[in-house]
Amino acid sequence: MEAVFLQLLNGLDKGGAYALIALGLTLIFGTLGVVNFAHGALFMLGSFCAVSLQKVLSMSMKVRDESVTFFEAYKEVPYLEIWFGDAGKALIDWTVPLALLITIPIMLGVGYVMERGLIQRFYKRTHAEQILVTFGLAIVLQELVKAYFGANPIPTPAPEIVSGSAHVGAWFGLSDAIVYPWWRLIYFLFAFAVVGAVFAFLQLTTFGMVVRAGMADRETVGLIGIDIDKKFTTVFGLAAVVTGLAGVMYTPVLPPDYHIGMEFLVLSFVVVVVGGMGSLPGAVAAGFLLGILQSFASMTEIKSILPGIDQIIIYLVAVIILLVRPRGLLGREGVMED
Amino acid sequence: MNMKDNILVLIFGAVILTMPLWAGIVGAGYPDLLQKFAIFGLFAIGFNILFGFTGYLSFGHAAFLGIGSYTAMWSFKLLTMNAIPAVLFATAVSGLFALAIGFVALRRSGIYFSILTLAFAQMCYNMAYSVLTPITNGETGLTLTATDPRILDAATTEGLPSTELFGMGLSGYNGFYFCAIILIIGFYISVRLYRSSFGLMLLAVKSNQNRMKYTGLNTKPYLLSAFVISGMYAGLAGALMVVIDPLAGAERMQWTASGEVVLMTILGGVGTLLGPFIGAIVIKYFENIFSAFNDAVLNQVFGFLPDFIQGIWVSFASLFVGKGWHLTLGVLFMLIVIFLPGGAMEGFRRIAAKFKKEKEAHSAGGAE
């Protein structure tokens, strides 16, 4: 029971990341009908927003170390700490949450430029060509980041206050031994909040209503006299933001390197396919489902029966779903069918 | 197969076999690179039989490459250092895997097919890294050891053996010729396929599968055959890799390696006979040239510029060379897909058409 509970928890944060990326991917796919292989690169750009902010905030100068009296010693002290003392220190500590604020405008801009500059030329081309050009774009973005930040993973720690673990077990009256890192708990809640916000945006605002109508029947909405292309550009930006935020928040869990996007890209496509192409709730549900399944598959009890299952479970599920339920879990009729 | 095709194959063969003589002029005259040309050319030609002829975009062909490598390696370890059995086994085994994977994946088409092949390839890759370590030797990669059983020729070799072909060593140019001959055979087969009624059927599937089905034709066997053939080409290429350099690692099964062969095919011209091979050569050639560049070389090349311009230009250009070669590749690839979807072959055709038009205009002008 306790082991099951722990695995459930373990699956949630990864599931949250999958769900957010798949949500962005589905938004793009459902509205624009474009298969975006550069989506992993957006995730990576998001996480490198956090890295850049950390670089900027912790710019430092050499200062004489007063605590060493025998000889002249110098230490690096960030400017912020020199200027603002403890407040500056706290600012550096809170890099990752602060990065969320700068990521939103940056990713909105990136999404806008990407859609206007490249994707819009590919609406009428085949899916294969869309895959190819966005794959090329992903390589370009990835290599640019590598050229600037280097190839090694860059650690970006979470704020000090949430660096420990929560005694989750005690909250639910289970063993006190069940602990879970605070940050991953926060990640899960964050993912939940973002998903909620996106759904609320689509369901409750006029803009969202137009977008949903456009997803259902683009031409008719255009005939009514709504400039649907403009709305869809915004949606692309929104999808980029969602994915970028997922990337920012994931940096304390996994130090980002330039390649992180490619790893998530394959998984997120699998998630989208399992959830059903073009279905937003499907993408979210499948994201959490696969995250949890993966964490269960890595339990030693299960691994001893089926060795290696933890490595392939996600792909296996995807293959089975695609074959027995071609539309995915919650796929709509007529989306991407041959 | 008509006269024209025979001539094409003959010219192709002649160009490949004389490569060591003239490749030196363009700075590619060493066996390592020429071997790569032949192997990746073969891989791309095989990939084109699936993607180019039928339009099914597989993102999992690197898996077959890896399977071919491992099989050939085990043939070296267990049987003999002769390359012939290794190549045959690798082709057969990767064909079997392609049959199994293709049977499942071909139940869907379009992007679902791409994702299914991707999923299978990732499964193979992950398993090669984890549970299958006894077979694949995980991260270290599978290598030859002096204690391998090699039941057929263990008695005749001493120390750490090297690959051979009936007593002839396969390093350097020998290796190249071995790969080149297989490449020419592979090319010949692909031309034959293209011209056969089978190839015509595949092209028909590409242009409109539904219509083919309406006429009462079951397209599945044709697609599956194409998938298996192209998987066998990939396995063969994988086997050649270990014939040249007896080391098989799981990283060549990663999905980005599948992406590379897609790049080659697109760059050269998808669906054309020569295009994929040209794409493979262009990518491997420039990879080699560009990777060797560094800032010192750049400074030398652009030394004629005024100093401050040189500084800016060199730091800009150094993004694209050396380790940044992939950036060049990505940019090039995007430009090709955006502006020239037919790849290099379409480029040639357009240039040729332009010349022809100019000539016609000229002769028309002369007649007046």
Side-chain angles (χ1 to χ4, degrees):
Chain A
M1 174 65 208
E2 271 156 21
V4 170
F5 184 69
L6 192 65
Q7 293 305 329
L8 201 66
L9 278 178
N10 272 334
L12 284 182
D13 65 323
K14 211 164 210 178
Y18 294 163
L20 284 183
I21 305 173
L23 182 68
L25 204 57
T26 309
L27 267 179
I28 293 174
F29 185 79
T31 51
L32 308 169
V34 171
V35 182
N36 182 18
F37 256 51
H39 205 68
L42 292 176
F43 182 82
M44 181 220 30
L45 285 182
S47 55
F48 274 89
C49 283
V51 171
S52 323
L53 185 68
Q54 173 177 273
K55 264 201 161 161
V56 171
L57 287 185
S58 51
M59 271 200 272
S60 54
M61 65 183 287
K62 275 200 169 80
V63 172
R64 176 114 194 262
D65 192 346
E66 306 289 347
S67 60
V68 180
T69 46
F70 302 112
F71 55 92
E72 289 212 350
Y74 292 91
K75 61 177 179 182
E76 295 268 329
V77 178
Y79 286 111
L80 279 175
E81 208 177 316
I82 298 169
W83 296 338
F84 304 112
D86 281 350
K89 224 177 182 171
L91 217 55
I92 295 169
D93 191 30
W94 284 78
T95 301
V96 173
L98 281 176
L100 290 178
L101 297 179
I102 65 156
T103 304
I104 292 174
I106 290 177
M107 293 310 290
L108 210 54
V110 168
Y112 184 83
V113 170
M114 217 170 122
E115 203 270 344
R116 286 289 94 186
L118 181 71
I119 307 285
Q120 63 148 342
R121 296 162 180 271
F122 277 79
Y123 288 157
K124 299 247 162 66
R125 312 257 293 247
T126 62
H127 284 299
E129 280 178 322
Q130 293 167 355
I131 291 178
L132 295 170
V133 80
T134 47
F135 181 57
L137 180 66
I139 296 177
V140 170
L141 291 176
Q142 177 176 317
E143 290 301 317
L144 283 176
V145 166
K146 182 175 149 195
Y148 190 73
F149 291 95
N152 295 325
I154 303 165
T156 22
E160 188 80 39
I161 188 168
V162 289
S163 64
S165 293
H167 292 270
V168 182
W171 301 350
F172 292 92
L174 294 165
S175 147
D176 202 39
I178 298 182
V179 291
Y180 192 66
W182 273 109
W183 186 260
R184 293 170 69 170
L185 208 61
I186 292 172
Y187 195 93
F188 164 67
L189 294 175
F190 174 80
F192 218 75
V194 171
V195 168
V198 169
F199 275 95
F201 178 70
L202 289 177
Q203 295 294 333
L204 304 178
T205 63
T206 319
F207 186 93
M209 193 176 70
V210 173
V211 169
R212 277 186 294 131
M215 281 169 91
D217 189 343
R218 184 177 186 155
E219 261 175 39
T220 311
V221 175
L223 288 175
I224 295 171
I226 296 170
D227 187 354
I228 194 75
D229 283 357
K230 226 174 212 163
K231 311 261 179 205
F232 280 179
T233 308
T234 316
V235 174
F236 194 95
L238 183 72
V241 169
V242 169
T243 315
L245 291 181
V248 171
M249 291 293 280
Y250 211 70
T251 49
V253 181
L254 186 71
D257 60 2
Y258 73 99
H259 210 256
I260 191 170
M262 284 290 182
E263 283 151 33
F264 272 95
L265 173 70
V266 179
L267 285 172
S268 56
F269 261 100
V270 169
V271 169
V272 169
V273 165
V274 169
M277 274 279 181
S279 157
L280 295 174
V284 174
F288 281 110
L289 187 74
L290 288 179
I292 292 167
L293 264 182
Q294 194 180 26
S295 103
F296 273 113
S298 53
M299 284 169 79
T300 32
E301 291 90 340
I302 290 177
K303 265 202 282 192
S304 62
I305 307 169
L306 296 163
I309 186 75
D310 55 321
Q311 300 286 332
I312 59 166
I313 176 86
I314 288 194
Y315 304 110
L316 208 59
V317 169
V319 169
I320 294 168
I321 292 263
L322 271 184
L323 295 178
V324 298
R325 210 185 141 76
R327 259 174 224 153
L329 292 178
L330 297 170
R332 283 185 293 137
E333 197 176 341
V335 176
M336 276 301 295
E337 281 172 357
D338 327 317
Chain B
M1 199 82 186
N2 54 26
M3 205 52 208
K4 229 173 150 186
D5 293 323
N6 283 328
I7 293 172
L8 178 69
V9 174
L10 280 179
I11 293 177
F12 181 81
V15 168
I16 300 295
L17 289 176
T18 56
M19 229 175 192
L21 301 177
W22 54 264
I25 302 168
V26 288
Y30 36 97
D32 274 8
L33 188 61
L34 293 181
Q35 288 160 2
K36 266 191 197 160
F37 285 174
I39 293 172
F40 281 94
L42 187 69
F43 189 20
I45 287 174
F47 183 75
N48 187 50
I49 291 178
L50 181 70
F51 181 41
F53 291 8
T54 70
Y56 275 64
L57 173 57
S58 156
F59 252 97
H61 258 54
F64 304 126
L65 195 75
I67 290 165
S69 286
Y70 285 126
T71 314
M73 210 55 205
W74 277 108
S75 158
F76 288 143
K77 283 167 90 75
L78 297 178
L79 287 175
T80 162
M81 289 310 292
N82 196 326
I84 297 286
V87 165
L88 293 179
F89 277 124
T91 315
V93 172
S94 53
L96 283 180
F97 270 88
L99 186 67
I101 292 178
F103 183 75
V104 179
L106 281 168
R107 295 177 60 163
R108 309 299 311 275
S109 63
I111 178 172
Y112 291 107
F113 173 78
S114 302
I115 293 175
L116 273 173
T117 48
L118 188 57
F120 276 115
Q122 283 297 98
M123 275 198 250
C124 292
Y125 169 68
N126 284 352
M127 301 235 286
Y129 251 114
S130 57
V131 271
L132 294 182
T133 306
I135 302 174
T136 61
N137 207 9
E139 235 169 293
T140 338
L142 201 59
T143 47
L144 293 173
T145 58
T147 53
D148 288 333
R150 275 201 306 287
I151 42 179
L152 293 181
D153 62 359
T156 54
T157 50
E158 284 171 28
L160 199 62
S162 56
T163 53
E164 47 103 29
L165 184 72
F166 305 116
M168 188 181 72
L170 283 180
S171 56
Y173 280 116
N174 285 348
F176 166 70
Y177 282 115
F178 183 69
C179 298
I181 288 166
I182 292 183
L183 168 70
I184 294 166
I185 297 171
F187 182 69
Y188 175 73
I189 294 174
S190 111
V191 175
R192 284 302 293 260
L193 280 179
Y194 192 69
R195 296 293 179 215
S196 66
S197 56
F198 170 75
L200 214 56
M201 203 66 97
L202 296 181
L203 291 175
V205 167
K206 183 183 185 178
S207 62
N208 195 332
Q209 178 156 211
N210 277 337
R211 204 170 285 174
M212 294 302 288
K213 282 181 180 160
Y214 294 154
T215 59
L217 182 103
N218 182 8
T219 54
K220 183 86 185 277
Y222 293 95
L223 287 170
L224 189 57
S225 318
F227 191 85
V228 171
I229 292 171
S230 110
M232 285 163 84
Y233 269 79
L236 187 56
L240 290 180
M241 281 180 181
V242 294
V243 167
I244 300 309
D245 176 21
L247 169 77
E251 72 284 342
R252 70 177 57 143
M253 299 172 89
Q254 212 172 2
W255 78 273
T256 39
S258 305
E260 200 184 5
V261 74
V262 180
L263 299 186
M264 289 171 179
T265 313
I266 298 284
L267 202 66
V270 61
T272 58
L273 288 170
L274 269 176
F277 177 71
I278 292 175
I281 287 205
V282 166
I283 287 190
K284 286 295 154 192
Y285 176 69
F286 281 106
E287 179 181 81
N288 187 57
I289 301 279
F290 275 47
S291 306
F293 270 55
N294 52 27
D295 283 4
V297 179
L298 278 179
N299 273 317
Q300 210 179 342
V301 172
F302 297 109
F304 63 90
L305 292 168
D307 268 356
F308 69 100
I309 298 178
Q310 186 190 339
I312 297 169
W313 176 246
V314 165
S315 57
F316 174 71
S318 69
L319 262 180
F320 291 91
V321 298
K323 281 180 191 156
W325 144 250
H326 278 106
L327 182 61
T328 321
L329 186 61
V331 172
L332 185 69
F333 180 65
M334 277 175 70
L335 291 178
I336 292 272
V337 179
I338 295 171
F339 297 111
L340 202 66
M345 292 305 275
E346 190 184 319
F348 292 148
R349 237 189 332 266
R350 280 192 197 173
I351 293 171
K354 204 165 192 184
F355 268 107
K356 213 170 164 189
K357 217 183 256 170
E358 254 168 34
K359 213 172 170 187
E360 268 166 18
H362 201 76
S363 60
E368 258 181 331

